[in-house]
Amino acid sequence: MFITFEGIDGSGKTTQLNLLADYLVEKGYEVIKLREPGGTILSEKIRELLLDKSIPIPPMTELLLFNSARSFLVETIIKPAIESGKIVLCDRFYDSTTAYQAFGRELNYENVITINDLAAGGLIPDLTFYIDIDLETHKIRTLGKDLDRMESSGDEFYKKVIEGYRKLSETNENRIKKIISKNEISDTFNEIIDIFENKFNKI
Ligand code: TYD
């Protein structure tokens, strides 16, 4: 089983992923937690390059680098783990690329989808949680943080990314479940568990 978490920086998706992992381990499942870009030595090195503020990266190069990191992670870790019956939880997957590089950077949508699919080797998440926050909440939650290259892209960029995520969750409503981030972490998590259990029949 392959489950992904999406949302802009400050949405709390990583916290929710960790809570779901603990919940599943408690139930006796073997769980692997991964993040994108990352999860392998090669992909973590690509991540460092992508987030380094001192390296200007054109949008197309950015798209291809995110997908290079993805391709390696999928082939070497994600696919083998799913095949051996593990539950893979991934902090971001190709919906990030569609939201950030197609909507945010305004690269051609069809091209981005095609490259994403190639890099994912046909793998589609069984379920995706999109944790929705607005721009103001994002700004409050990331206040005082040392911003990386992606996070330094400005308000207009983030507005387009949020709009992109919202559109994606509407057009893929069977797979991408939009969760409005609540003030209480446990309230957001309860909604995630409800959706999860409904989908997988009281796992
Ligand atoms: P992430 O580790 O989730 O950062 P954070 O912990 O701040 O949420 O992701 C790194 C950054 O890379 C984040 O700003 C989103 C961006 N990103 C893309 O632009 N495209 C992608 O395909 C992925 C996976 C991430």
Side-chain angles (χ1 to χ4, degrees):
M1 193 188 298
F2 182 40
I3 298 172
T4 60
F5 283 74
E6 295 285 353
I8 61 166
D9 321 78
S11 61
K13 62 186 165 41
T14 311
T15 305
Q16 296 299 330
L17 181 150
N18 285 326
L19 287 171
L20 183 61
D22 293 347
Y23 174 90
L24 292 170
V25 167
E26 184 101 332
K27 288 191 173 281
Y29 290 92
E30 249 194 287
V31 175
I32 294 197
K33 292 194 280 185
L34 296 168
R35 69 168 178 181
E36 270 225 279
T40 67
I41 293 173
L42 184 137
S43 307
E44 289 289 340
K45 283 195 187 288
I46 295 176
R47 176 190 182 88
E48 275 172 35
L49 294 172
L50 277 162
L51 300 186
D52 187 338
K53 258 191 298 203
S54 70
I55 311 174
I57 303 178
M60 181 53 77
T61 310
E62 187 178 281
L63 168 71
L64 295 171
L65 281 172
F66 276 116
N67 272 306
S68 300
R70 172 164 310 129
S71 164
F72 192 72
L73 181 68
V74 166
E75 292 309 322
T76 61
I77 309 276
I78 301 182
K79 279 188 175 170
I82 296 170
E83 273 156 29
S84 69
K86 297 186 179 108
I87 299 184
V88 177
L89 303 183
C90 200
D91 194 339
R92 300 190 180 282
F93 195 57
Y94 55 26
D95 299 307
S96 282
T97 319
T98 313
Y100 282 74
Q101 278 66 53
F103 287 93
R105 300 286 193 229
E106 299 186 342
L107 288 172
N108 178 276
Y109 180 86
E110 274 79 28
N111 287 347
V112 171
I113 297 288
T114 303
I115 295 171
N116 286 350
D117 286 343
L118 285 172
L123 183 66
I124 302 170
D126 297 297
L127 182 61
T128 297
F129 292 107
Y130 161 53
I131 319 285
D132 185 80
I133 55 169
D134 57 22
L135 187 63
E136 284 315 305
T137 312
H138 157 78
K139 286 171 87 165
I140 294 165
R141 290 190 186 171
T142 53
L143 203 69
K145 195 179 172 230
D146 184 21
L147 301 181
D148 61 38
R149 192 186 63 83
M150 290 304 301
E151 291 164 337
S152 312
S153 303
D155 286 359
E156 286 312 306
F157 174 76
Y158 271 104
K159 273 189 207 159
K160 287 184 271 180
V161 174
I162 294 169
E163 195 190 318
Y165 267 132
R166 288 178 179 165
K167 276 194 191 146
L168 278 178
S169 62
E170 278 162 25
T171 48
N172 297 272
E173 59 179 5
N174 280 336
R175 173 175 67 85
I176 306 179
K177 304 298 177 190
K178 176 175 150 188
I179 316 271
I180 312 271
S181 177
K182 319 283 186 299
N183 285 333
E184 290 296 325
I185 290 172
S186 57
D187 289 342
T188 307
F189 185 58
N190 286 339
E191 200 175 328
I192 287 177
I193 289 299
D194 277 352
I195 292 171
F196 180 84
E197 288 190 343
N198 268 329
K199 172 116 184 165
F200 298 109
N201 237 343
K202 306 266 175 235
I203 187 168

